[in-house]
Amino acid sequence: MKALLLESPGKAQLREVASPEPGRGEILVRVTACGVCHTDLHYLDHGVPTFKSPVILGHEVSGTVAGCGAEVEKFREGDRVLLPAVFTCGACRMCRTGRENICQQMKMLGNHLDGGFAEYVVAPAKDCFALPAEIPLAEGCLIGDALTTPYHAVKHRARVQLGDVVAVFGCGGVGMNAVQFAALAGAHVIAVDIDDHKLELARRFGARDTLNVRAVERPEKELKKRTGGGVDIALEAIGKPETIRLAYDSVRVGGRLCVVGYSAEPVTLPFSKMMFYELEVVGSLGCRPADYPEVIELVRSGRVALGPLVTARYPLEKIHEGFDALRAGQGLRSIVLPGKAA
Ligand code: APR
Ligand code: ZN
């Protein structure tokens, strides 16, 4: 089969490789679509220490079951499936206390395990989800990360409530969905970005107000002015030290900062404000398995938009165009369709 193989940082190539075989408890999935995520770019450019090398990239996968290993009863050939981005051990303390998303033995597609930028991928059947017929199979791949990561962040970490004033910093693939989930939860959402087009789009996803940080000298002051003292919750979905700091500075007394963006750089925050204002700073990583059925149902019932998130589609042969578009900040999410010819 054809697959995008990452051989070393900066070197990812389309190769002909052997199709995987499903082992005990595993399904073989014919990939319909795999989302192109910022995390893939990080891996592509810098590699990560956990890498199995070489590895097939891609962790937002939907497809159809093409074969079942021994002892698989949950699925049959032809079933439409969504793969979670990570598989957790199920046995550690975090897994046993409902916090599987921070399982330290987790295995991620396109990182520890071969991922979805390929014609086929294997996955443990017990961790995969059936996709209802109302959800288009290709677009459905985005539920695997672009939707579930901000869902977990908004619901369980930022703990957004009806009536909260929430600023979402960064309206890319992750942030835009934080906007739509926070709006759905009944918050007054202020979308913050440097791109007017993304901000305009954010209004369509439920933002009531927008701020282009480049249009004002002191964005945190502007946000405090507009909200009468600061936002209840700031959700950072960019991953730059300066925007994490900006988000922190925009929070009101008693407020909360939820960091979803990944920054390799250390970030300096004045902790006196945390103490005097009783601020909370929380991180958020991925989602828990229990989040998937909830998000699938929100999409199925039309309460959450999925189609408009897909702004480009590429055959596997043109995947690098998708990476380039993401680097250039174009669009929201691209999906790669390995079954389609170039
Ligand atoms: N101020 C405000 N907005 C910014 C800034 C800035 N200084 N720099 C970039 N942005 C905006 C971009 O215009 C874009 O809309 O942040 C958004 C980033 O979106 P994407 O590039 O689509 O990234 P995404 O896939 O959403 O991931 C965001 O979350 O999970 C993490 O690793 C991921 O750190 C990354 C973050
Ligand atoms: Zn675990």
Side-chain angles (χ1 to χ4, degrees), residues 44-129:
L44 192 61
D45 294 341
H46 310 291
V48 279
T50 48
F51 265 143
K52 132 179 172 23
S53 182
V55 70
I56 300 171
L57 289 176
H59 58 269
E60 284 182 339
V61 188
S62 61
T64 51
V65 175
C68 296
E71 293 170 24
V72 172
E73 287 177 5
K74 191 172 160 185
F75 295 108
R76 289 177 187 200
E77 235 180 279
D79 282 354
R80 309 160 94 246
V81 285
L82 170 74
L83 276 56
V86 301
F87 310 115
T88 55
C89 82
C92 71
R93 184 163 170 203
M94 288 302 109
C95 283
R96 298 268 168 169
T97 51
R99 302 190 69 185
E100 298 94 332
N101 60 307
I102 47 172
C103 168
Q104 297 299 290
Q105 280 84 46
M106 71 168 77
K107 299 273 183 272
M108 181 177 170
L109 283 171
N111 177 337
H112 313 80
L113 305 167
D114 280 331
F117 293 139
E119 291 174 79
Y120 294 93
V121 62
V122 290
K126 69 174 180 39
D127 296 306
C128 298
F129 301 91

Side-chain angles (χ1 to χ4, degrees), residues 112-158:
H112 313 80
L113 305 167
D114 280 331
F117 293 139
E119 291 174 79
Y120 294 93
V121 62
V122 290
K126 69 174 180 39
D127 296 306
C128 298
F129 301 91
L131 267 183
E134 297 96 319
I135 300 181
L137 194 50
E139 285 97 326
C141 73
L142 296 188
I143 298 173
D145 181 21
L147 276 164
T148 39
T149 293
Y151 180 79
H152 170 72
V154 166
K155 183 173 177 182
H156 299 121
R157 304 300 292 159

